[in-house]
């Protein structure tokens, strides 16, 4: 007898099963997610600094466009530890949350567009609200006229304390709506890039832990860099 291939519904179940297995393999260990997030945060910090200065309208002493660009990206890099740490936990949490959410939605029969879009929408919104005080304080530190970074050992904490004393704790979350408008699309794109690489990278043997970690690291790094570039 002639063997017939699986029907469309069965094929869809097979694809969901394979995707779920891949997600489970990459989500067991959070190390590659956070390592990749830290790597992309470090690599893109000068670009983040230049973008922050430009968008905030901070005054620069240079006049020419190239000189202003160099002044924006060159050291001193104020609040580096806070920025890298904040971006690392935020991206890592969003990637992990998106993987877990996608796995749950696919397991309940949702198609790939919903499973790839809804989890990063929800997780990135939550993380951005939680991270906003850190975003606000580190942004203020990039102002060349800011004297706190030059006189305090822990400038990020000092900025937060100053905001609390002068304007109340609600000042920590000022600008959250604008941050959400920039952050949520960024991570939707980042997760889309990660999912795209998931389909195109060669599979890793489950028994080869380092191969699994390296594969996840590649996806998370590409997603982090893409998310940063898309919003610059």
């Amino acid at each position: 007898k002639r063997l017939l291939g699986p029907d469309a519904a069965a094929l869809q179940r097979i694809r969901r099963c394979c995707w779920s297995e891949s997600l489970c393999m990459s989500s067991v260990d959070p190390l590659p997610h956070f390592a990749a997030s830290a790597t992309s945060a470090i690599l893109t910090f000068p670009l983040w600094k230049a973008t922050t200065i430009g968008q905030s309208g901070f005054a620069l002493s240079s006049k020419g466009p190239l000189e202003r660009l160099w002044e924006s990206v060159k050291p001193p890099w104020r609040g580096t530890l806070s920025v890298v740490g904040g971006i690392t936990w935020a991206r890592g949490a969003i990637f992990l949350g998106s993987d877990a959410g996608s796995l749950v939605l696919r397991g309940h029969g949702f198609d790939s567009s919903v499973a790839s879009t809804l989890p990063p929408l929800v997780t990135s919104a939550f993380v951005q609200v939680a991270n906003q005080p850190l975003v606000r304080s580190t942004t203020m530190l990039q102002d060349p006229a800011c004297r706190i970074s030059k006189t305090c050992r822990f400038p990020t904490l000092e900025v937060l304390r100053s905001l609390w004393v002068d304007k109340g704790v609600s000042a920590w979350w000022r600008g959250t709506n604008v941050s959400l408008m920039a952050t949520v699309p960024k991570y939707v794109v980042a997760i889309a890039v990660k999912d795209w690489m998931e389909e195109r990278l060669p599979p890793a043997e489950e028994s080869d832990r380092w191969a699994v970690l390296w594969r996840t690291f590649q996806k998370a790094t590409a997603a982090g860099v893409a998310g940063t570039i898309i919003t610059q």
Side-chain angles (χ1 to χ4, degrees), residues 95 185-195 219 222-224 226-228 230:
F95 291 155
K186 173 175 71 175
Y187 283 110
V188 171
V189 170
I191 297 302
V193 169
K194 188 170 72 67
D195 289 348
K219 293 186 296 179
T228 300
I230 202 68

Side-chain angles (χ1 to χ4, degrees), residues 36-52 72-73 77 80 83-84 87-88 91 142 186-187 220-232:
S37 298
T39 300
S40 61
I42 293 171
L43 293 176
T44 59
F45 180 84
L47 180 60
W48 175 88
K49 178 190 173 188
T51 302
T52 299
S72 297
V73 301
W77 293 331
T80 306
V83 172
V84 172
I87 293 176
T88 297
R91 288 178 179 170
Q142 306 315 308
K186 173 175 71 175
Y187 283 110
T221 300
V225 173
T228 300
I229 293 174
I230 202 68
T231 53
Q232 303 309 316

Side-chain angles (χ1 to χ4, degrees), residues 29 80 86 96 100 114 119 132 141 146 168 179 186 208-209 220 224 226:
D29 192 348
T80 306
L96 284 172
V114 175
Q132 183 62 22
L141 287 176
C146 180
S179 296
K186 173 175 71 175
D208 189 345
R209 181 173 181 271

Side-chain angles (χ1 to χ4, degrees), residues 1 8 14 35-36 42 53 72 76 79 109 130 145 160 178 183 196 218 223 227 229:
K1 295 182 179 180
I14 292 172
I42 293 171
I53 291 176
S72 297
L160 290 174
V178 177
T183 300
W196 181 82
Q218 288 178 283
I229 293 174

